[in-house]
Amino acid sequence: MKRVVAVCALAVWMMPAPRAQAAVTNGSFETGDLTGWSWTIPAGASIDVVTSHSDPGGTGTTSWGPTDGSYFALLKTDGPGSLTQLYQSYSMTPGNPLMFDYFWDSRDFKPFGDTASLSIHSGVGTAGPLVGTFTLGSVSTDPQDYWGTPWQTVSLFVGSAGMYTVVFEVRNSLDGIKDSYLGIDNVLLQAVPEPGAILLGGIGVGLVGWLRRRRTL
C-alpha cells in the first residue's frame, strides 16, 4: 500500500516514475565514505557509511540494510539541540526531481522530541534562503516510543530551475541520553518524469512520498 504525502505542495507530481541515474555524486555511498558530500557533525554525533543498522530494543522496524548497492549513510545526533547535517547541491529543474530513500530510528521516547527532516536551500550551501522543509521522523508523532520506520522513498520537485542544496538533518531535543538516527540511501536525480504524472500547479517546492516496504536484514 502506498501513502502519498505532500508538504509545501505548490508543485507536485503525483505518479511514481522509473529512476534514471543523473548528476548526484556518490548518492548510494558506494565509495564506502562521504565523497561528494558536505556535513556538520557536532561533538558526540556522527555520520557513518555502513552496511547495516539494527535497534534490538526498538519498536516497529528494527533492522535495515542498503536499498541500493552495499552501503548507506547513517546520521546520529547527540545532546540537547545537537543538529547533524549531510548535504549536497544540485542543479534542478521542474522536470528533474530528486529521489531518495530514508528510514527513521528514534531511539527515544515521549516527551523528548528528537526529529529528522529534509531542508531545501536556494543556491549552494546551507546559508542560502530556506525554500522548504519536510519532516522525515519525529518522536512526538511516532506511534510508539523507540520507533523505527521501514525504508521509504520520496521524490522532491522544484517549481523553478536553479541551484538547490538538499540537507538531511537529525536533531536531538531536551536530553543527551538517547540518540536518534536517520538512514539515507539511493539519492539520485531523475532525468525524465513519468509521462502520466500530474502537475498540481503553481511554483515552489513540493514533496511526494510513498511508503515502500523493503526486505530488511
Side-chain angles (χ1 to χ4, degrees):
M1 180 178 180
K2 296 179 180 179
R3 183 185 67 183
V4 177
V5 181
V7 177
C8 300
L10 298 180
V12 179
W13 302 72
M14 293 191 63
M15 295 286 288
R19 292 184 170 195
Q21 197 71 31
V24 172
T25 302
N26 196 25
S28 292
F29 306 96
E30 293 305 295
T31 60
D33 57 24
L34 296 175
T35 296
W37 293 86
S38 299
W39 56 83
T40 301
I41 305 176
S46 63
I47 303 177
D48 296 310
V49 176
V50 300
T51 59
S52 64
H53 175 67
S54 63
D55 182 5
T59 60
T61 302
T62 59
S63 64
W64 300 264
T67 63
D68 183 62
S70 301
Y71 299 95
F72 61 93
L74 186 66
L75 288 68
K76 170 185 168 294
T77 188
D78 193 49
S82 175
L83 178 64
T84 305
Q85 297 177 310
L86 180 67
Y87 54 96
Q88 194 171 142
S89 300
Y90 312 101
S91 176
M92 298 177 65
T93 66
N96 183 210
L98 183 77
M99 301 183 72
F100 64 91
D101 300 330
Y102 79 92
F103 70 81
W104 163 241
D105 178 16
S106 75
R107 295 274 180 115
D108 214 336
F109 57 94
K110 298 176 179 65
F112 301 106
D114 292 8
T115 58
S117 60
L118 172 75
S119 296
I120 307 100
H121 295 259
S122 179
V124 176
T126 58
L130 180 64
V131 178
T133 60
F134 177 56
T135 299
L136 303 177
S138 173
V139 171
S140 63
T141 58
D142 286 344
Q144 299 181 53
D145 293 338
Y146 309 110
W147 185 251
T149 71
W151 282 105
Q152 302 179 67
T153 300
V154 168
S155 291
L156 165 66
F157 287 81
V158 296
S160 58
M163 289 296 299
Y164 295 89
T165 299
V166 177
V167 188
F168 300 103
E169 304 173 323
V170 59
R171 183 188 300 272
N172 196 314
S173 177
L174 301 178
D175 74 304
I177 301 173
K178 304 289 187 178
D179 300 322
S180 296
Y181 293 82
L182 173 65
I184 299 295
D185 200 6
N186 204 17
V187 184
L188 55 89
L189 283 166
Q190 181 184 302
V192 180
E194 172 73 23
I198 303 171
L199 180 63
L200 295 188
I203 60 173
V205 170
L207 290 174
V208 174
W210 57 89
L211 297 182
R212 178 179 298 170
R213 293 192 176 272
R214 297 178 182 269
R215 181 173 56 85
T216 56
L217 296 183

